[in-house]
Amino acid sequence: MNILILGGGGREHSLAWAVVQNPKCDRLIVAPGNAGIAQIADCAALDIEDGSAVVDFAQAHSIDFVIIGPEAPLAAGVADRLSEAGFLVFGPSAAAAKLEASKAFTKEICAAANAPTAAYGHFSDAASAKAYVQAQGAPIVIKADGLAAGKGVIIAETLAEAEAAIDDMFAGAFGGAGAEVVIEEFMTGEEASFFVLCDGTDVLPIGTAQDHKRVGEGDTGPNTGGMGAYSPAPVLTDAIAQKALERIIKPTMAEMARRGTPYKGVLYAGLMIEDGEPRLVEYNCRFGDPECQVLMMRLGAQAFDLMHACAEDRLAGVRVNWADDHALTVVLAAKGYPGAYEKGTVIRGLRDFSDDSFQMMFHAGTTESGGQITATGGRVLNATARGATLQQARDRAYAQAESVDWPDGFYRSDIGWRAL
Ligand code: AMP
Ligand code: GLY
């Protein structure tokens, strides 16, 4: 098969790594890709949010199957355009991707599906939003309704902070994403991520993970896209996962199907777990980054068969071949991230370690020029490893991270602390 993956981050490098190991893959193209992906697949420049451009590209390259990595092309309807043109695609329609693209929509679906989640209000003007927070008290969570690159959530410790956040959002701090605001009860507990595939009818769990969102050691400092992750998440026991499946995920999928917008693709449920009970924090309509890297490390080549079965509505007959293993990834980021950082700094030592089925350096923001690998993003590399225990996976991942010669980069030294 000729396969096209859309995206160019660490998530897409790990997807590409799993796909090329599968004998069904004859040719893999990744658009736009990065310097690491270029070592295992062809990379192509393409505007991946432009549905007609993607369809033209897929036709010109005789593509049999398209895997969409990030949320922006999904929200822009690229999966719809590809399906209409007759291509097999892994990734939900724009209507189904609203589960990530609109927080108010998700809350409404949860209410209809009776899925446990935080109590909420939904507002399109500041005065009624402020009246609601006055009535509820602090702490309270203020969210821009739309996609805000992971930045549209403010946990307000005081009423003054909540009101300031409301003013900021309606003043356009998050652009169009903040034209409507969702205000939620602050939930306590431990967070974990649950990944399932859905083909519109059946749901297949493919793994759990936990990430570290804060930039600093001990989970302190500003939020990032994620500084590291590990799988499985010990807090998400089989019993709690089963509850999440039966009470949250399956009812949501049934409600989406009932509305005529069945969900097909990977669904990433962010859960808050307290006293053995899971509640939904949010849905994402894609793999997490860096959570995908640890899931792919554990699933290997079968990840391709699972995504292919999902796209062909064949999940009912599919089993995941689980190994009793653990994976962990450490993100190497440019100094300054998530604030301003320098671009174009040179990374050395990357070719010195062996990549195999137990360890892999996934690239995110890298470019190759003149035989050198340079950093061109905030999150740049993912030192990822698998082991019989989490400790073994962690030791291998950190050995990789330490061997990179990149004075302009940094990483957290405590990824996995909660689980170890
Ligand atoms: P979201 O973009 O909705 O995932 O929110 C980002 C992060 O904010 C989540 O991963 C949680 O850590 C936190 N968060 C969001 N909603 C709540 C809530 N209702 N209660 C507590 N924490 C929350
Ligand atoms: N690592 C969090 C996310 O991908 O949304």
Side-chain angles (χ1 to χ4, degrees), residues 138-158:
I140 194 156
V141 184
I142 317 292
K143 300 186 174 185
D145 175 64
L147 290 179
K151 298 187 182 77
V153 174
I154 311 281
I155 311 240
E157 304 288 347
T158 63

Side-chain angles (χ1 to χ4, degrees), residues 11 211 213 225-226 268 282 284 286-291 379:
R11 167 180 48 210
D211 77 342
K213 290 193 171 62
Y268 155 1
E282 60 160 357
N284 293 304
R286 52 175 175 83
F287 283 107
D289 187 341
E291 292 90 332
R379 292 189 296 165

Side-chain angles (χ1 to χ4, degrees), residues 4-6 31 46-61 63 66-68 73 77-79 81-82 85 87 89:
L4 171 64
I5 296 179
L6 301 184
L46 176 63
D47 179 356
I48 63 169
E49 291 174 39
D50 178 343
S52 3
V54 174
V55 167
D56 289 347
F57 184 91
Q59 275 159 351
H61 293 84
I63 295 297
V66 184
I67 298 169
I68 303 182
V78 171
R81 298 295 89 71
L82 284 163
F87 288 101
V89 50

Side-chain angles (χ1 to χ4, degrees), residues 189-193 209-211 213 233 235 270-273 281 418:
E190 191 170 346
E191 277 188 85
S193 305
Q210 272 178 301
D211 77 342
K213 290 193 171 62
V235 62
L271 303 173
M272 188 71 82
I273 297 154
V281 179
R418 211 181 284 276

Side-chain angles (χ1 to χ4, degrees), residues 8-10 151 215 224-227 289 330-345 347 363-367 374-382 406 408-411:
K151 298 187 182 77
V215 74
T224 70
M227 294 301 294
D289 187 341
V330 178
V331 171
L332 285 78
K335 279 181 185 163
Y337 174 81
Y341 53 83
E342 206 182 325
K343 284 192 182 177
T345 58
I347 306 168
H363 289 223
T366 62
T367 305
T374 57
T376 46
R379 292 189 296 165
V380 172
L381 295 165
N382 310 125
W406 183 33
D408 302 286
F410 76 98
Y411 53 86

